[in-house]
Amino acid sequence: MPHDAIQAAANALRGARRVAVLTGAGVSAESGLRTFRGAGNPDLPPDMHALWKEFDPQTLATPEAFAANPEMVTRWYEWRRIGCLAAAPNAAHAGLATLERLLESRGGGLTLLTQNVDRLHQRAGSRHVVELHGTIMVWRCTRCGARTEPAPEPMREFPPRSACCEQRAALLRPDVVWFGEMLPEDALRAAARAAEECDVFMSIGTSSVVYPAAAFVLQAAANGAKTIEINPEPTPISGRVDWSIRAKAGEAVPRLLALLRD
Ligand code: BV8
């Protein structure tokens, strides 16, 4: 792990009151969940490679795909939901929950903006989580918008039908944000506020190619925040942050915490 960058990042965090963190799929990689993009680990079996190497987002993660083939799309999301339920939070999730409590004990705070739909941050104890792309744990009625949290057991009907609307005529869809859909307004507002108010913005485990989420770190920098990236691979923002830490989140986040407590 590059010592200078992580030491400088820890110093910036030590002086910060308000911290904003943007996380992506890389934070859950060490929990065994597949990322969407990235080189990944060539030693892993193909069924652990990045999802978009095996699946086409246009035929699975768009409203048009759901309209054309709701059975295929909902089976794919149910397969992923079951995988998320079986996964456990890792050291990065736990470390971010600890950092939130540490900042609060010093009169500050942490806003955790996540692109992840797996709810692992909440399961690790993070309290102030903004789900930018929704969650796979909640599904919603395509007719009335009512939300429901399906039981942990695998669903049996595809596409699943909504219990709330007349004669089960409407379909259920995962409450995630697909390509071409707007992000929830309250989430966007919370993210914009966090990027405006934070002293330090950390971008962890994200390829920084999906917008508008990828823009928040640059907005924070423009507002005067110090910026930190944690990712084993370079991304489009690596050259634009103050400190780019080339390491796994499950190693770098606990190391940052240890330095903060020194
Ligand atoms: C919208 C759904 C308004 C849920 C996903 C501006 C410029 C260009 C394009 C656009 C733009 N504005 C909007 C767009 C279009 C589009 C977009 O950004 N396209 C890109 C790809 C070009 N954006 C949208 O459509 C968004 N909506 O803008 O609405 C609008 C509407 C209509 C018309 C105009 C405007 C909606 C985006 C939501 C997409 N939803 N999925 C699901 O199925 O889960 S996308 C998918 O990517 C995931 O959900 C995820 O949330 C998201 C981001 O990915 P990452 O989390 O970053 O993960 P990724 O795999 O890419 O990277 C993992 C990283 O981890 C890698 O870098 C790897 O190195 C690293 N890593 C690996 N191991 C570790 C690690 N890091 C740390 N530790 C490790 N151990």
Side-chain angles (χ1 to χ4, degrees):
M1 215 178 296
H3 180 74
D4 287 355
I6 203 154
Q7 185 67 60
N11 289 343
L13 279 173
R14 198 174 288 117
R17 260 175 64 79
R18 290 173 196 262
V19 174
V21 180
L22 172 71
T23 61
V27 163
S28 297
E30 289 158 84
S31 293
L33 296 181
R34 292 163 70 173
T35 60
F36 298 90
R37 310 170 186 80
N41 181 349
D43 300 333
L44 289 175
D47 66 357
M48 284 304 291
H49 289 175
L51 285 166
W52 296 152
K53 282 197 177 125
E54 183 179 344
F55 302 101
D56 174 9
Q58 288 306 320
T59 62
L60 289 164
T62 63
E64 294 77 16
F66 179 70
N69 196 338
E71 177 180 343
M72 181 178 73
V73 169
T74 53
R75 277 188 191 279
W76 190 71
Y77 276 93
E78 173 62 357
W79 167 69
R80 284 182 50 208
R81 185 183 76 101
I82 295 300
C84 293
L85 283 166
N90 63 50
H93 298 106
L96 289 170
T98 304
L99 181 61
E100 180 180 6
R101 286 193 295 276
L102 187 69
L103 286 161
E104 282 172 1
S105 73
R106 294 175 179 178
L110 185 148
T111 303
L112 183 41
L113 311 169
T114 189
Q115 299 166 88
N116 297 345
V117 297
D118 55 34
R119 289 253 157 115
L120 289 180
H121 285 303
Q122 290 90 333
R123 285 170 57 194
S126 283
R127 285 175 302 208
H128 201 176
V129 182
V130 178
E131 291 176 321
L132 294 168
H133 293 168
T135 173
I136 206 167
M137 296 304 164
V138 173
W139 290 50
R140 73 170 193 262
C141 174
T142 52
R143 181 168 295 180
C144 73
R147 289 178 165 84
T148 175
E149 190 162 342
E153 292 75 34
M155 293 179 196
R156 291 207 212 106
E157 181 188 35
F158 294 98
R161 305 237 158 222
S162 164
C164 55
C165 279
E166 219 173 291
Q167 294 169 337
R168 296 172 22 90
L171 301 184
L172 279 177
R173 59 159 283 183
D175 196 22
V176 300
V177 179
W178 282 324
F179 287 106
E181 291 186 318
M182 294 296 285
L183 277 64
E185 259 179 43
D186 51 349
L188 274 177
R189 257 198 308 275
R193 194 180 326 118
E196 195 180 312
E197 293 177 349
C198 67
D199 307 306
V200 171
F201 191 106
M202 289 204 279
S203 184
I204 310 181
T206 173
S207 56
S208 296
V209 296
V210 174
Y211 284 83
F216 296 134
V217 62
L218 304 178
Q219 286 164 16
N223 288 323
K226 294 292 180 198
T227 51
I228 301 165
E229 177 181 56
I230 299 175
N231 196 314
E233 294 173 32
T235 76
I237 63 154
S238 299
R240 303 179 71 178
V241 293
D242 292 301
W243 302 288
S244 182
I245 299 169
R246 280 301 146 75
K248 290 182 176 177
E251 292 164 7
V253 173
R255 180 84 190 107
L256 269 177
L257 268 175
L259 288 170
L260 265 182
R261 286 179 168 140
D262 278 351

